[in-house]
Amino acid sequence: MEMAVQSGRGRPREFDPEEALAAALQVFWLRGYEGASMAELTEAMGITKPSLYACFGNKEALFRKALDLYERDKLCYVKSALQETTAKAVAEKLLRGALALQTGEPDPRACLGVISMVACTTHADTIKEEVIARRASSEKAMVERFERAKAEGDFPESIDPAALAAYLNAVMQGMGVQAGAGATPEQLAQLVDMTLAVWPGR
């Protein structure tokens, strides 16, 4: 769907909201929520500030829509990973998916949620809460999957599914931080291999 925006004079030009949102996602992904200025966002999106407000709402609403797009297009591997037949297969698909995300081109190298959490100050508490809530929902689904795996004898009784999910999430978030700090794809792949090598059970 295209929307009309006023170009200053003459007839308004049209823009594709999906393409504009994808451009905004790239800016947020590179800069974080607070680091992304409205001027940078509107320039990347190819629209004016009034048009941004008219189509997407304020900056916070735009970021939430960008998060939705990020989860839909960039984290689509998560849902399919949780359907794998063993806990280790779940972990491997999640780790390989995270690795592909961190090393893919032309996307920025880092996790959108991580950089937004790190960069947020008290002026962006609602954004921090949003990121935390989405992460908690994802971790809850992972815990439930690992609880099922434990009931199926997939790993030892001594393993706590919640602790295992927290550990796996910490590894994936750490990969995002290291990717943003310049770690090579080979170094990130070593993290994946090591995590799988010490994975409990079959």
Side-chain angles (χ1 to χ4, degrees):
M1 184 182 81
E2 292 189 335
M3 294 190 63
V5 297
Q6 193 64 42
S7 60
R9 63 182 181 179
R11 55 183 299 190
R13 62 187 174 84
E14 294 183 333
F15 76 98
D16 185 329
E18 278 290 310
E19 290 181 2
L21 183 59
L25 170 58
Q26 291 293 311
V27 176
F28 282 128
W29 200 346
L30 185 64
R31 305 293 188 201
Y33 174 73
E34 290 197 337
S37 69
M38 290 298 288
E40 190 173 13
L41 285 164
T42 53
E43 181 179 358
M45 297 166 76
I47 60 176
T48 63
K49 190 182 292 186
S51 297
L52 186 155
Y53 288 133
C55 184
F56 300 103
N58 59 17
K59 181 182 176 183
E60 184 175 321
L62 176 63
F63 182 75
R64 292 174 192 275
K65 289 181 173 69
L67 276 178
D68 290 339
L69 180 62
Y70 179 74
E71 291 179 349
R72 188 193 77 193
D73 288 1
K74 306 299 182 181
L75 301 182
C76 54
Y77 65 88
V78 174
K79 186 175 181 180
S80 62
L82 295 176
Q83 297 171 356
E84 289 292 329
T85 55
T86 67
K88 187 171 184 177
V90 169
E92 179 163 13
K93 192 157 190 176
L94 287 171
L95 289 164
R96 301 289 181 201
L99 177 63
L101 182 63
Q102 303 306 340
T103 57
E105 297 291 346
D107 292 328
R109 299 183 63 198
C111 170
L112 177 61
V114 170
I115 61 174
S116 295
M117 282 285 293
V118 171
C120 279
T121 67
T122 54
H123 299 294
D125 280 345
T126 55
I127 292 300
K128 187 179 293 187
E129 290 166 4
E130 176 81 12
V131 174
I132 289 173
R134 291 181 187 234
R135 188 176 65 191
S137 175
S138 176
E139 189 161 327
K140 180 175 181 289
M142 194 185 301
V143 171
E144 290 173 350
R145 178 63 186 85
F146 288 167
E147 285 174 342
R148 194 184 95 200
K150 184 173 182 177
E152 294 170 348
D154 216 355
F155 38 68
E157 275 294 315
S158 59
I159 297 297
D160 179 353
L164 188 59
Y167 163 72
L168 186 56
N169 271 313
V171 171
M172 291 190 293
Q173 289 164 16
M175 288 171 63
V177 172
Q178 292 199 23
T184 66
E186 292 75 21
Q187 289 171 326
L188 296 175
Q190 286 178 341
L191 282 174
V192 171
D193 293 341
M194 179 58 68
T195 303
L196 294 172
V198 300
W199 189 261
R202 56 191 175 91

